Amino acid sequence: MSTTPRMLRVGAAQLGPIAKDEPRADVVERLRSLLAQAGTHGVELVVFPELALSTFFPRWYTEDISGHDHYYETEMPSAETQPLFDDAKRLGIGFALGYAELTPEGERFNTTVLVERDGTIVANFRKVHMPGHDDDQPWRPFQHLERRYFQESDEGFPVHRAFGGIVGMATCNDRRWPETYREMGLQGVELIMIGYNTPIHYAPDPGQNALQGFHNHLCMQAGAYQNGTWVVGVAKGGTEEGVESLAQSAIIAPSGQIVAQAVSTGDELIVADCDLDWCANYKDTLFNFATYRRPELYQRITSQKGVIEPD
Ligand code: CDT
């Protein structure tokens, strides 16, 4: 194990609701305010939520999806987000920012841009697991039309050498899937950044409503522990356009323990010193994949038997 800790001070910049008619410039001002706050705390990396520049527009159906084009970014940085990029570079703070991406080819992705402390763009991550539905379902109190407004990325979960370690990203529903963490865990990830918009009400099975907070932390804490990695989960919470969304942003250690958690449902910065070398405590011992992980012992049997029918 290394004897020189690689300490990274990380801020999770939770956002409260963004109104449908809130101008992009006003939202960027809120992000800049959280970034300035991070600067006073010596933060080196700020993680903002999924779709951090607008209201969660997939809750509304439009026959012609181009009716929602104004929610998308065709370039990043854009003229409106440039002040955030400028502030961050001046303060020497890197950041991850979720936004709706519309490519020149007309493709639509739920994307997070990762920017290093010197202002260089490290990567754009595009959400893989796309929840909800693509058709009009007016029976719901509100809709979840991500499958209409975004396509699934087939670019997987790459990791990047940045911020003195190995870092990766995932977006909202991605955090519920073990493959998300495992894909990056197998690449040695040390810090995973995840933004989310999670309505409390889950129309297909409202029995899950009361468990939203539990499930949120359950999957991120398990993903952190089982892969020996830091996880930074950041919400856009509170009641937005009548829809209540989960807050409870958290910074989670490789032990699976929550070391910082938001206490409000609004704009709030939480900070933790993330020792990236702590990951080795798990990656080199209990979860030493090279020594102990044996997928060939169970994957071969599973593929031979296929799905086992009950008697
Ligand atoms: N944004 C996002 O992915 N939200 C989903 C909501 C549940 S599916 C309707 C989530 O997994 O939190």
Side-chain angles (χ1 to χ4, degrees):
M1 285 179 210
S2 167
T3 52
T4 51
R6 288 172 295 138
M7 201 65 81
L8 183 68
R9 188 164 290 181
V10 176
Q14 177 177 284
L15 288 177
I18 299 176
K20 196 175 184 178
D21 58 0
E22 189 165 333
R24 187 84 89 256
D26 290 7
V27 179
V28 171
E29 281 310 304
R30 286 169 60 183
L31 305 181
R32 292 176 73 192
S33 167
L34 286 161
L35 193 80
Q37 209 180 312
T40 66
H41 290 283
V43 167
E44 299 162 271
L45 168 62
V46 170
V47 183
F48 293 107
E50 172 193 37
L51 299 177
L53 295 173
S54 72
T55 198
F56 191 77
F57 63 87
R59 70 170 65 96
W60 295 292
Y61 178 82
T62 52
E63 184 62 35
D64 176 3
I65 61 173
S66 65
H68 274 5
D69 276 359
H70 57 288
Y71 290 121
Y72 292 78
E73 310 297 321
T74 53
E75 54 181 356
M76 187 57 68
S78 58
E80 281 162 318
T81 54
Q82 188 65 55
L84 177 72
F85 281 71
D86 293 343
D87 285 0
K89 186 174 177 180
R90 181 174 46 77
L91 293 166
I93 302 176
F95 66 94
L97 174 73
Y99 68 101
E101 177 189 8
L102 178 55
T103 72
E105 294 74 33
E107 294 178 305
R108 294 164 194 269
F109 295 102
N110 187 335
T111 300
T112 297
V113 62
L114 179 63
V115 183
E116 250 292 8
R117 292 157 289 190
D118 63 0
T120 56
I121 291 180
V122 177
N124 274 286
F125 167 77
R126 292 165 169 169
K127 184 174 181 175
V128 175
H129 300 95
M130 208 56 71
H133 49 105
D134 62 7
D135 57 331
D136 193 17
Q137 297 193 6
W139 62 270
R140 295 172 182 249
F142 56 89
Q143 306 208 33
H144 198 104
L145 288 150
E146 280 196 73
R147 296 186 68 81
R148 183 172 190 82
Y149 296 118
F150 300 112
Q151 62 192 77
E152 297 160 329
S153 162
D154 63 2
E155 295 166 4
F157 296 95
V159 299
H160 313 279
R161 290 199 174 276
F163 298 95
I166 302 175
V167 303
M169 292 172 275
T171 303
C172 196
N173 192 262
D174 288 326
R175 79 192 187 288
R176 302 187 191 273
W177 299 88
E179 295 87 346
T180 296
Y181 307 91
R182 187 55 109 213
E183 286 292 317
M184 290 187 268
L186 291 170
Q187 300 170 76
V189 76
E190 295 172 317
L191 186 133
I192 300 176
M193 292 156 271
I194 304 173
Y196 59 91
N197 283 260
T198 296
I200 301 290
H201 181 68
Y202 183 58
D205 178 19
Q208 295 179 28
N209 295 1
L211 300 172
Q212 290 291 0
F214 168 62
H215 288 157
N216 178 44
H217 287 161
L218 175 71
C219 55
M220 294 195 294
Q221 289 182 260
Y225 169 62
Q226 292 176 335
N227 295 281
T229 181
W230 289 90
V231 170
V232 183
V234 190
K236 174 140 70 65
T239 302
E240 184 182 90
E241 299 295 340
V243 176
E244 186 188 3
S245 287
L246 185 71
Q248 298 185 4
S249 301
I251 301 177
I252 300 160
S255 60
Q257 293 166 291
I258 293 175
V259 298
Q261 184 177 326
V263 293
S264 76
T265 57
D267 292 10
E268 179 182 346
L269 180 79
I270 58 170
V271 177
D273 283 329
C274 300
D275 177 1
L276 300 181
D277 283 328
W278 191 355
C279 301
N281 289 18
Y282 288 85
K283 290 184 192 294
D284 293 349
T285 61
L286 196 70
F287 290 117
N288 184 324
F289 289 170
T291 305
Y292 301 119
R293 190 172 169 272
R294 285 289 171 271
E296 68 276 15
L297 298 184
Y298 41 83
Q299 281 178 355
R300 180 173 55 83
I301 300 299
T302 312
S303 61
Q304 277 174 3
K305 288 185 179 160
V307 176
I308 300 171
E309 297 297 335
D311 294 334

